[in-house]
Amino acid sequence: MLGLMQQRPLLISSLLDYAERYHAGREIVSRSVEGPLHRSNWGTIARRAKQVANLLQRLDVARGERIATLAWNHNRHLEIYFGVTCSGAVLHTVNPRLFPEQVRFIIDDAESSYMFFDVTFAALVEQLAPRLPNVRGYVALCAREAMPSIDVPNLLCYEDLLAAETGDHAWPSFDEDLASALCYTSGTTGNPKGVLQSHRSAVLHSLALMSADTMAISARESLLLCAPLFHVNCWGIPFAAAGTGAKLVLPGMKLDGASLFELIRDEAVTFCGAVPTVWLNLFAWMEANLNTTDQRGLKLRRVLSGGTAVPRVVIEKAHNYFGATMLHAWGMTEMSPLGTCGSLLAQHVGMNLDERMPVHLKQGRTIYGAEVRIVDDDGHELPRDGRSVGEIQVRGPWVLSGYFKGAGGKVVDEDGWFRTGDVAHMDADGFITITDRAKDVIKSGGEWISSIELENLAVSHPAVLEAAVVATRHPRWQERPLLLVHRKQGAEVSKEELLAFLSDKIAKWWLPDDVVFVEELPHTATGKVLKTRLREEYGDWLERPAGTTSR
Ligand code: ADP
């Protein structure tokens, strides 16, 4: 017998309609590309999203057509988010930090028909345009007077185009399984691959972000979005924000400590999501410029971090400087991205920070809606005992079923399980601990050493800004860990001191064989340490003669 409930499609337009109807006055504050703060609200975003939809009609953009953006976190990008998806076209956010050739590949592979870009990327757009045959026009996100003088076909001015459109538009209804957004993985191995979300997956993922045991996004929150809008749709937060009427604070292109602190203080930010590097920069700025113990009166109460393992110092400083609790989350582009989130359980309530620390250091616990399991090399599920290490597999309504245009072939098994390439163990409560990415694991004498755990310990040393541990070849043990360290400006620490600092915290055979101090560590476009490059550069470190300049 079928239930007698209505079958209404789950569309992104329903989230925006809700914000417009009940939270029109709730603010959207952005740092504009031009510099000053720009104040808007959900009512204006919704009206301008409808102007965008009318513009797309005028430009003959068909349903399902991809519209590329190359833009920072600000109100114009947000209204394009909704204007494109709600009208049935596909939002294709492009990461401008990728190599130009990767940017070109991605836009070409997606066959995007229009490109909306910030003027800061004008030179890149001009460089790529001759090799983007599918792009019919380039829309500069600015007013007439700020138009860049570049030579690209059909260069258009966003504010002029919008001024010619009305804010009346009835959002169409369509199948909830239609595509809404296309995001590419960063392509650390091979070409980037497209992950194509649907309206249904985006709405279900949004509901997950609103729930109390994940991000608890609600009408009362002021959310500072430091994850880029071009990275997995800023972890899906803008859509969930619309469905609650939360205030949004968009930092534009300025993620430095001073700019972020100003927003946290002046916009009464209650929740902020950022990768650990952004947190470390903010704290370093606060230490240099403020009395950090004075800042606990600010409203920031919950911080979320993910993308790479969150070091203990980030958790401690968020607590000490703001009185904020860390939500350590894990996910990936292929899962929209949220898979786990470190909200506490009843047994953790009342614990002090030291007692809770082991919980915060884990990568969060499995949330309702994303099925997560750990399997061995033969694909058998491992016990949830907090010890058995294997690869994470996931499935669920916001996990991909295949990449765009079938790239990479069949990537889920018959039961829908997707192999993530992340190596972890899980405890009985569903908390996972990521020990490595499969390709970053260090195998010493047949035993695994967790590069992530060593890195976390190294950055908890006060002189260390950032650390990376990679495998180097070893004649006896096949591989041994090498620690690369970027010291804080003006800070001093020797190899011997660092090894002594680590030695009482880990098993003896985990101790890195050497420490190399570097000026900087290479990063991927999504802010992760580029381990492939480090392995190429330092894979033979222990084979080089000691005492030479290269060693
Ligand atoms: P890309 O792989 O393209 O850089 P993603 O954002 O999709 O971009 O990266 C997802 C990967 O990031 C995961 O597979 C995992 O390896 C890593 N990751 C994400 N969150 C965490 C975390 N909290 N701790 C450790 N690694 C993480």
Side-chain angles (χ1 to χ4, degrees):
M1 187 191 290
L2 289 178
L4 289 173
M5 290 293 141
Q6 298 186 10
Q7 183 53 273
R8 306 278 302 162
L10 301 174
L11 300 179
I12 291 173
S13 54
S14 66
L15 300 168
L16 185 65
D17 278 345
Y18 176 82
E20 182 182 25
R21 190 176 255 259
Y22 301 109
H23 303 276
R26 189 72 165 139
E27 276 189 302
I28 311 289
V29 182
S30 318
R31 193 175 303 279
S32 63
V33 169
E34 296 82 6
L37 287 190
H38 176 276
R39 309 195 84 84
S40 180
N41 55 38
W42 278 114
T44 306
I45 294 289
R47 180 172 48 75
R48 286 174 56 98
K50 290 176 180 175
Q51 287 173 280
V52 171
N54 287 333
L55 167 64
L56 295 179
Q57 258 173 12
R58 188 182 298 274
L59 295 174
D60 275 334
V61 170
R63 200 166 280 180
E65 218 168 286
R66 273 77 63 205
I67 300 295
T69 63
L70 209 48
W72 302 107
N73 287 16
H74 49 63
N75 55 304
R76 287 180 180 133
H77 202 176
L78 191 69
E79 61 213 25
I80 292 168
Y81 251 60
F82 288 100
V84 170
T85 55
C86 298
S87 61
V90 176
L91 173 76
H92 175 212
T93 48
V94 183
N95 183 344
R97 296 201 193 111
L98 296 170
F99 296 117
E101 179 48 32
Q102 282 182 317
V103 174
R104 188 208 60 78
F105 170 85
I106 286 174
I107 298 169
D108 203 45
D109 189 63
E111 297 171 54
S112 290
S113 59
Y114 279 88
M115 153 89 86
F116 289 68
F117 68 97
D118 272 335
V119 291
T120 40
F121 303 120
L124 177 63
V125 169
E126 187 172 39
Q127 178 193 344
L128 298 179
R131 291 182 297 139
L132 294 174
N134 299 308
V135 178
R136 304 203 293 270
Y138 295 85
V139 185
L141 293 172
C142 61
R144 173 60 51 190
E145 59 275 15
M147 281 295 283
S149 49
I150 50 172
D151 183 17
V152 296
N154 199 16
L155 178 65
L156 302 164
C157 168
Y158 182 69
E159 289 300 338
D160 278 3
L161 292 174
L162 241 56
E165 305 296 340
T166 73
D168 296 327
H169 188 96
W171 295 123
S173 183
F174 42 74
D175 186 337
E176 64 184 14
D177 285 321
L178 288 193
S180 60
L182 179 61
C183 309
Y184 279 72
T185 61
S186 66
T188 347
T189 50
N191 270 331
K193 293 194 270 297
V195 177
L196 190 61
Q197 297 179 6
S198 67
H199 281 262
R200 175 184 156 82
S201 74
V203 172
L204 291 173
H205 184 261
S206 298
L207 294 173
L209 300 197
M210 295 174 200
S211 84
D213 272 336
T214 66
M215 298 190 194
I217 292 176
S218 78
R220 293 169 297 285
E221 303 287 334
S222 169
L223 313 171
L224 173 59
L225 305 189
C226 295
L229 288 175
F230 55 74
H231 192 204
V232 214
N233 293 159
C234 187
W235 302 344
I237 299 175
F239 299 125
T244 56
K247 170 175 172 174
L248 286 184
V249 184
L250 303 166
M253 56 191 283
K254 299 193 89 173
L255 291 179
D256 60 285
S259 307
L260 290 184
F261 185 80
E262 184 189 319
L263 292 175
I264 290 171
R265 185 193 56 208
D266 297 349
E267 300 306 327
V269 166
T270 56
F271 174 97
C272 176
V275 292
T277 340
V278 171
W279 289 116
L280 290 168
N281 283 338
L282 172 66
F283 297 144
W285 181 86
M286 289 174 72
E287 283 152 20
N289 295 281
L290 299 172
N291 173 358
T292 48
T293 55
D294 254 8
Q295 312 306 328
R296 294 180 63 112
L298 299 180
K299 299 272 189 309
L300 187 59
R301 285 296 165 270
R302 294 180 307 123
V303 298
L304 180 120
S305 198
T308 54
V310 182
R312 173 187 290 260
V313 279
V314 170
I315 302 166
E316 279 167 357
K317 289 182 180 178
H319 174 85
N320 294 340
Y321 298 176
F322 292 112
T325 307
M326 171 61 68
L327 287 168
H328 188 171
W330 166 85
M332 60 202 313
T333 308
E334 286 84 342
M335 49 192 316
S336 304
L338 199 65
T340 63
C341 189
S343 65
L344 299 176
L345 294 170
Q347 70 251 35
H348 307 127
V349 175
M351 286 183 175
N352 65 30
L353 184 66
D354 282 344
E355 292 163 337
R356 277 190 275 121
M357 188 54 81
V359 184
H360 292 305
L361 286 171
K362 294 177 183 181
Q363 270 78 5
R365 65 188 165 91
T366 307
I367 61 173
Y368 173 74
E371 285 181 77
V372 180
R373 69 176 191 181
I374 315 276
V375 297
D376 64 16
D377 288 348
D378 302 323
H380 298 123
E381 184 168 358
L382 289 168
R384 295 192 304 273
D385 57 6
R387 274 186 295 116
S388 304
V389 175
E391 185 171 353
I392 308 181
Q393 292 188 335
V394 293
R395 68 177 182 189
W398 56 83
V399 175
L400 85 173
S401 59
Y403 288 102
F404 187 53
K405 293 178 165 176
K410 197 169 169 318
V411 291
V412 299
D413 70 14
E414 294 69 45
D415 299 320
W417 292 104
F418 170 72
R419 296 179 54 169
T420 61
D422 284 334
V423 176
H425 53 76
M426 186 190 277
D427 68 17
D429 294 323
F431 278 95
I432 59 165
T433 301
I434 309 250
T435 56
D436 258 305
R437 270 190 159 188
K439 49 190 181 301
D440 294 337
V441 153
I442 301 165
K443 224 166 186 185
S444 174
E447 296 285 345
W448 284 0
I449 295 177
S450 164
S451 64
I452 292 184
E453 198 168 332
L454 288 175
E455 287 157 7
N456 280 344
L457 287 170
V459 289
S460 66
H461 189 284
V464 176
L465 182 68
E466 200 177 17
V469 174
V470 290
T472 58
R473 287 189 290 282
H474 190 279
R476 172 149 180 226
W477 303 112
Q478 292 87 47
E479 287 180 355
R480 289 294 302 154
L482 171 72
L483 172 61
L484 298 142
V485 171
H486 178 189
R487 279 177 286 207
K488 283 185 189 155
Q489 210 176 4
E492 278 303 324
V493 63
S494 67
K495 164 183 164 180
E496 290 69 28
E497 283 164 342
L498 265 181
L499 291 178
F501 175 78
L502 294 178
S503 62
D504 60 350
K505 301 178 179 69
I506 48 172
K508 204 161 157 238
W509 60 278
W510 274 42
L511 200 65
D513 280 32
D514 206 351
V515 180
V516 180
F517 294 102
V518 292
E519 293 294 310
E520 205 180 352
L521 287 166
H523 290 94
T524 68
T526 47
K528 296 181 176 56
V529 172
L530 194 54
K531 293 262 182 98
T532 41
R533 167 103 54 87
L534 292 176
R535 273 199 300 271
E536 273 164 31
E537 227 170 288
Y538 294 97
D540 64 346
W541 184 256
L542 297 176
E543 295 164 352
R544 297 183 204 173
T548 62
T549 45
S550 57
R551 165 95 209 248

